[in-house]
């Protein structure tokens, strides 16, 4: 007998980020970046951070350019390497009087490949001799530029962390503000309704007061046969008038 086995297809489940194709990941990342940059403060933070990175890159290029200019000026063989003679000539031109043999003894270990001093090795030598008293300002500037990228990297890191914190706190404060604005709107609506009720109550009390004062004046101006009845009516109206005045005062307070 042939037994037929039905393989039930597994229920489809949401694809995890790891299962997304590269194109889907790119689209997701692009959407998230666009959503992040919609807010002006996020765009400003990104601009500041990119400016820090651009500054670091600029200093790195300037450093390489200064060292490259030194190397090109004394590279007589045009092979992008300085021999001991050429390096000695470079140092003498910039204030350090050394011979070829002295260069070999002082900086021989820097030339680890033994093929002459290339750009990176020259940058290390510049950093070594920059603090000597007689060295030229050109060497000092090249050495300073070689250390500037470290400062720039630290500044970029600090700026990135600070801006990330500020943006995060701004989102939290915005949510709190929206929540407080909603509560404020509800409270304002309740207060407005309460004020409307008070206005109606004061209007009714004002009309009743005017009516009571008018009735009192009419009774005082008219002649009653029964004086006791007249006094009782005036007393009743005056008492009610006092109650109305008291209610008006409480409502205004």
């Amino acid at each position: 007998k042939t037994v037929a086995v039905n393989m039930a297809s597994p229920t489809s489940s949401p694809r995890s980020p790891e299962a997304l194709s590269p194109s889907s990941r790119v689209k997701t990342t692009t959407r998230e970046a666009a959503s992040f940059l919609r807010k002006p403060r996020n765009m400003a933070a990104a601009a500041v951070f990119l400016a820090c990175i651009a500054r670091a890159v600029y200093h790195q290029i300037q450093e390489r350019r200064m060292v490259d200019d030194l190397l090109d000026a004394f590279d007589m063989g045009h092979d992008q390497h300085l021999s001991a003679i050429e390096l000695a000539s470079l140092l003498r031109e910039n204030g350090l009087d050394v011979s070829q043999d002295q260069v070999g003894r002082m900086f021989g270990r820097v030339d680890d490949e033994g093929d002459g001093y290339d750009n990176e090795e020259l940058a290390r030598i510049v950093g070594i001799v920059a603090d000597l008293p007689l060295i030229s300002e050109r060497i000092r500037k090249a050495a300073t530029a070689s250390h500037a990228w470290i400062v720039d990297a630290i500044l970029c890191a600090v700026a990135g962390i600070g801006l990330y914190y500020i943006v995060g706190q701004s989102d939290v404060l915005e949510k709190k503000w929206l929540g407080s604005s909603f509560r404020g709107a509800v409270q304002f609506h309740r207060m407005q309704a309460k004020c409307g009720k008070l206005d109606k109550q004061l209007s009714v009390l004002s009309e009743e007061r005017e009516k009571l004062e008018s009735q009192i004046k009419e009774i005082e101006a008219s002649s009653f046969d029964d004086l006791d009845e007249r006094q009782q009516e005036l007393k009743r109206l005056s008492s009610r008038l006092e109650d109305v005045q008291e209610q008006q005062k409480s409502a205004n307070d």
Side-chain angles (χ1 to χ4, degrees):
K1 292 183 180 180
T2 304
V3 180
V5 179
N6 294 326
M7 301 296 292
S9 61
T11 57
S12 60
S13 58
R15 299 176 68 185
S16 62
E18 292 78 5
L20 293 174
S21 63
S23 60
S24 298
R25 290 180 184 177
V26 171
K27 290 180 181 178
T28 302
T29 304
T30 303
R31 284 197 298 269
E32 290 176 353
S35 177
F36 177 81
L37 293 175
R38 282 196 189 100
K39 296 181 179 179
R41 65 168 178 271
N42 294 348
M43 188 178 295
V48 172
F49 184 64
L50 290 176
C52 292
I53 294 177
R55 182 178 183 273
V57 172
Y58 173 78
H59 280 168
Q60 186 69 9
I61 293 173
Q62 288 296 102
E63 173 212 340
R64 290 185 176 275
R65 183 175 298 172
M66 289 181 182
V67 176
D68 285 343
D69 290 344
L70 284 171
L71 191 145
D72 292 340
F74 294 91
D75 181 18
M76 301 305 171
H78 303 290
D79 57 355
Q80 296 301 306
H81 288 75
L82 294 180
S83 64
I85 297 175
E86 292 168 341
L87 180 57
S89 177
L90 184 154
L91 294 175
R92 283 195 299 271
E93 287 290 330
N94 287 278
L96 185 61
D97 188 12
V98 292
S99 64
Q100 177 182 349
D101 292 338
Q102 289 174 323
V103 166
R105 288 195 297 271
M106 288 189 296
F107 307 117
R109 292 183 180 180
V110 178
D111 183 16
D112 51 2
E113 298 175 352
D115 58 350
Y117 302 93
D118 59 18
N119 186 293
E120 293 182 1
E121 293 165 347
L122 179 58
R124 291 172 59 189
I125 294 171
V126 166
I128 293 171
V129 303
D131 294 330
L132 296 177
L134 299 177
I135 207 68
S136 69
E137 189 64 24
R138 184 180 184 185
I139 295 292
R140 294 183 194 277
K141 287 182 179 180
T144 303
S146 66
H147 296 295
W149 72 270
I150 300 176
V151 177
D152 288 333
I154 294 173
L155 288 176
C156 286
V158 172
I161 294 171
L163 291 171
Y164 179 79
Y165 175 78
I166 291 172
V167 170
Q169 287 297 108
S170 298
D171 290 336
V172 173
L173 291 174
E174 182 179 12
K175 291 178 182 177
K176 289 182 178 179
W177 180 81
L178 289 173
S180 63
S181 297
F182 176 75
R183 288 193 297 270
V186 172
Q187 291 174 356
F188 175 77
H189 179 72
R190 291 176 179 174
M191 185 64 69
Q192 196 174 26
K194 186 176 180 181
C195 289
K197 290 180 181 179
L198 286 175
D199 287 340
K200 290 181 181 179
Q201 184 180 358
L202 285 171
S203 178
V204 171
L205 290 172
S206 180
E207 290 178 0
E208 186 177 0
R209 179 177 177 176
E210 291 178 359
K211 184 177 180 181
L212 289 169
E213 289 176 346
S214 176
Q215 289 176 348
I216 290 173
K217 288 180 180 179
E218 288 178 359
I219 292 174
E220 290 177 344
S222 62
S223 59
F224 272 69
D225 296 333
D226 191 346
L227 294 178
D228 291 337
E229 182 182 355
R230 179 174 180 272
Q231 291 297 328
Q232 289 177 359
E233 184 66 15
L234 284 173
K235 185 177 180 181
R236 184 184 67 81
L237 293 175
S238 298
S239 177
R240 178 56 187 164
L241 180 60
E242 290 178 0
D243 291 339
V244 170
Q245 290 174 340
E246 188 67 27
Q247 290 179 20
Q248 283 182 319
K249 184 178 179 181
S250 299
N252 287 324
D253 294 339

